Amino acid sequence: MGYYEALILAIIEGITEYLPVSSTAHLVLASQYLGLKESMFLYTFNIVIQLAPILSVMIIFRKRLTASLEIWKKLIAAFIPVGIIGFLFADHIDALFSVDLIPLWMFITGLLFIIIERYHKEDRCDLYEIEHASYRQA
């Protein structure tokens, strides 16, 4: 991968990370479009450039993250079920999300977003601060 491809992938990551779309899917599709071969380097590169937005959010919210141990407990509680499912079903998940199926999954996800938004249009969220979330909401 050259500087040109790295720059394109970084721009795609920067644009898509904060939108309600899969930045990872866009990176995989862009890599394929650019003719980049799947490799450990490309996989690692995609992980590293996704760390920057995560770190920037942590920096922006550092006061809230350091003010309460309760937030960290809820973040860990939210991660545990996802981590267990990911660990137990990693091979099946990888098979479902192969490069060839990414456009299909992007379409299905977009459709679900539209349906859920329309269905819950009138719902009101009473939770405005993460600190007040229950462990179930987390």
Side-chain angles (χ1 to χ4, degrees):
M1 174 185 344
Y3 290 116
Y4 175 74
E5 292 87 358
L7 179 63
I8 290 173
L9 293 178
I11 290 169
I12 290 169
E13 173 62 25
I15 291 171
T16 60
E17 184 62 38
Y18 296 105
L19 297 175
V21 298
S22 173
S23 62
T24 304
H26 282 83
L27 286 176
V28 171
L29 290 177
S31 298
Q32 188 179 32
Y33 179 76
L34 292 169
L36 300 174
K37 294 180 181 171
E38 288 186 45
S39 66
M40 188 52 75
F41 175 80
L42 182 60
Y43 181 75
T44 304
F45 179 84
N46 286 342
I47 291 172
V48 169
I49 66 170
Q50 290 182 338
L51 285 176
I54 293 168
L55 291 175
S56 68
V57 168
M58 290 181 76
I59 290 169
I60 290 168
F61 290 103
R62 71 184 171 278
K63 288 181 183 176
R64 288 175 72 184
L65 290 171
T66 57
S68 172
L69 182 61
E70 196 65 24
I71 291 176
W72 286 101
K73 289 179 187 176
K74 290 175 183 175
L75 284 171
I76 291 167
F79 171 77
I80 289 172
V82 175
I84 290 170
I85 290 169
F87 180 76
L88 293 176
F89 299 103
D91 293 337
H92 300 293
I93 293 168
D94 286 344
L96 282 174
F97 295 99
S98 69
V99 174
D100 297 335
L101 293 176
I102 287 176
L104 173 66
W105 287 116
M106 290 172 75
F107 175 77
I108 291 170
T109 302
L111 194 59
L112 286 172
F113 276 168
I114 291 167
I115 291 168
I116 290 168
E117 282 289 325
R118 287 184 185 232
Y119 179 74
H120 291 287
K121 193 175 190 179
E122 300 299 320
D123 288 354
R124 193 173 150 242
C125 179
D126 293 327
L127 180 64
Y128 294 104
E129 299 291 330
I130 190 69
E131 293 86 354
H132 301 119
S134 68
Y135 279 93
R136 181 178 174 164
Q137 289 171 317

